[in-house]
Amino acid sequence: MADRVAVLAIDDIVPLDFGIATQLFGYPEAPYRLAVCGARRGTVSTTGPYHVQVSAGLQALAEADTVLVPGFEPHTRQLPRAVLAHLRAAYARGCRMVSICTGAFALAAAGVLDGHRATTHWRLTSELAARYPNATVDPDVLYVDDGQVLTSAGVAAGLDLCLHLIRNDFGAAVANAIARQIVVAPYRDGGQAQYIERALPDDRQSPLSATRTWALHHLDETLSVAELAAHAAVSERTFARRFVAETGTTPQRWLAAQRLDLARELLERSDASIDEIADRSGLGSADNLRNYFRRHLRTSPTAYRRAFALASNTELDVRMPQRTASHSSP
DNA sequence: AATAGGAGCCGCCAGC
DNA sequence: CAGCTGGCGGCTCCTA
């Protein structure tokens, strides 16, 4: 478990990126050991009207299992040699490297993105690709999980990536509980293409949101695009087109993601058999469920349950994050 | 593990 | 004319 997280606060850090990282890794239900560090101890400026104080220097990067770089401005500027060297060293050590928004440019400058798939804020994806041709930039996703290197798109997509990390480290139930606590959708499996032309779609106003909600309550049934379109009272073609526009993903892929998530929660929270979970999540057969787990999570349902099973009857009620604990505290 | 049938997806186009 | 709709054909992917 890569639970020692070091958040690197580069000067003129984007407050929201920084806040997302430090808040999401501060919940006791997902007990990371969080450290916040800067190029040096002391004051780090933000792009907002205030500063942050960091008690750790770059050494914290050498003690981390996960290094997270929030966005900073301007993203074009040269970063201190020592910062790049420490990022490079952490990467070479096998450390998990994570960025939010323009933080990807710091990872790229350190050579960490070479040979990896990555993303960044939609306005800067082509620039990232041009400046770092050895990275494969995907402009259409909220985040990219390329194993050791994970990058997220603009600002709020950092929420999605952090929840993704929590989901992988502590399970779907914990991640979903934290998502509920901070009042965001637990799982947006979408590209960022949808956000280029317009602001964040308000789910309550999206024409198809009622159909999605309905589908979520009927995941155990076979749901064809024809049925979904009928529920939304439009043709299949129009339904498919609007669905992609609203969610950034296709109906069938969206359904598969929701079903997988439900199966994960059932594995964690119940002792139902694999067959029963396959049935209740709408993934059909145990065979199919195993296929999904192998393909998307690189593990088996039983191994997943063993790793994440909650103590029986545990009621997850996530509270406010604890004070930041440094690596060195007991 | 390989395969076949079917559903899903998407580009294209015509119509409103 | 622009913009949305929805039917069609063919390619792709999933599942049994």
Side-chain angles (χ1 to χ4, degrees):
Chain A
M1 162 91 57
D3 70 333
R4 292 176 303 171
V5 176
V7 175
L8 174 62
I10 293 172
D11 271 312
D12 291 314
I13 192 169
V14 175
L16 188 49
D17 291 6
F18 181 65
I20 285 169
T22 52
Q23 173 134 357
L24 284 185
F25 291 117
Y27 287 98
E29 286 72 13
Y32 291 100
R33 288 175 284 165
L34 179 66
V36 177
C37 68
R40 62 198 176 284
R41 293 172 194 207
T43 304
V44 174
S45 58
T46 77
T47 59
Y50 59 87
H51 296 77
V52 295
Q53 290 286 334
V54 300
S55 53
L58 290 171
Q59 182 56 28
L61 297 185
E63 294 160 6
D65 310 302
T66 300
V67 166
L68 193 155
V69 187
F72 57 95
E73 292 177 11
H75 66 280
T76 46
R77 78 168 185 270
Q78 193 85 28
L79 294 174
R81 271 228 192 102
V83 167
L84 298 180
H86 274 81
L87 287 176
R88 209 172 290 127
Y91 174 65
R93 205 155 45 74
C95 198
R96 186 164 63 176
M97 307 298 284
V98 184
S99 72
I100 298 177
C101 199
T102 53
F105 282 85
L107 295 185
V112 169
L113 298 190
D114 288 353
H116 285 284
R117 291 182 301 118
T119 193
T120 185
H121 191 283
W122 58 265
R123 253 193 271 150
L124 303 172
T125 46
S126 46
E127 183 184 334
L128 184 69
R131 275 172 63 187
Y132 302 99
N134 291 332
T136 308
V137 179
D138 190 337
D140 276 333
V141 291
L142 289 171
Y143 60 82
V144 174
D145 177 347
D146 198 27
Q148 195 191 344
V149 178
L150 302 95
T151 48
S152 73
V155 198
L159 283 171
D160 299 274
L161 177 53
C162 290
L163 286 171
H164 172 74
L165 288 169
I166 293 169
R167 180 176 271 104
N168 286 344
D169 292 343
F170 295 101
V174 168
N176 291 343
I178 289 176
R180 278 194 294 277
Q181 168 66 22
I182 59 174
V183 199
V184 298
Y187 198 65
R188 294 190 286 159
D189 184 15
Q192 54 178 332
Q194 59 188 311
Y195 305 128
I196 294 176
E197 295 294 345
R198 67 189 108 120
L200 262 176
D202 183 339
D203 258 7
R204 287 164 299 188
Q205 289 172 3
S206 303
L208 263 39
S209 68
T211 299
R212 277 194 295 278
T213 306
W214 173 78
L216 284 177
H217 289 103
H218 295 84
L219 287 179
D220 59 326
E221 300 162 28
T222 51
L223 295 171
S224 65
V225 171
E227 286 171 280
L228 294 170
H231 182 274
V234 291
S235 74
E236 290 181 47
R237 186 70 189 85
T238 297
F239 179 82
R241 198 169 11 224
R242 284 197 196 159
F243 197 97
V244 173
E246 287 182 24
T247 67
T249 188
T250 61
Q252 190 246 12
R253 272 196 270 268
W254 182 87
L255 274 177
Q258 304 305 323
R259 286 176 163 145
L260 188 63
D261 199 49
L262 176 58
R264 291 171 76 161
E265 275 221 56
L266 289 172
L267 280 168
E268 294 168 29
R269 287 170 174 270
S270 76
D271 49 14
S273 69
I274 306 296
D275 268 310
E276 195 182 335
I277 289 176
D279 191 51
R280 281 167 63 187
S281 63
L283 288 175
S285 63
D287 234 21
N288 199 34
L289 180 72
R290 275 186 271 272
N291 259 322
Y292 265 82
F293 268 67
R294 189 157 13 89
R295 228 180 314 143
H296 297 282
L297 307 173
R298 292 189 211 97
T299 184
S300 70
T302 334
Y304 184 87
R305 170 175 266 162
R306 212 179 302 124
F308 293 118
L310 298 168
S312 53
N313 296 327
T314 302
E315 223 15 80
L316 268 180
D317 177 22
V318 172
R319 300 176 186 287
M320 291 305 287
Q322 293 172 321
R323 277 198 65 214
T324 299
S326 90
H327 288 169
S328 47
S329 62

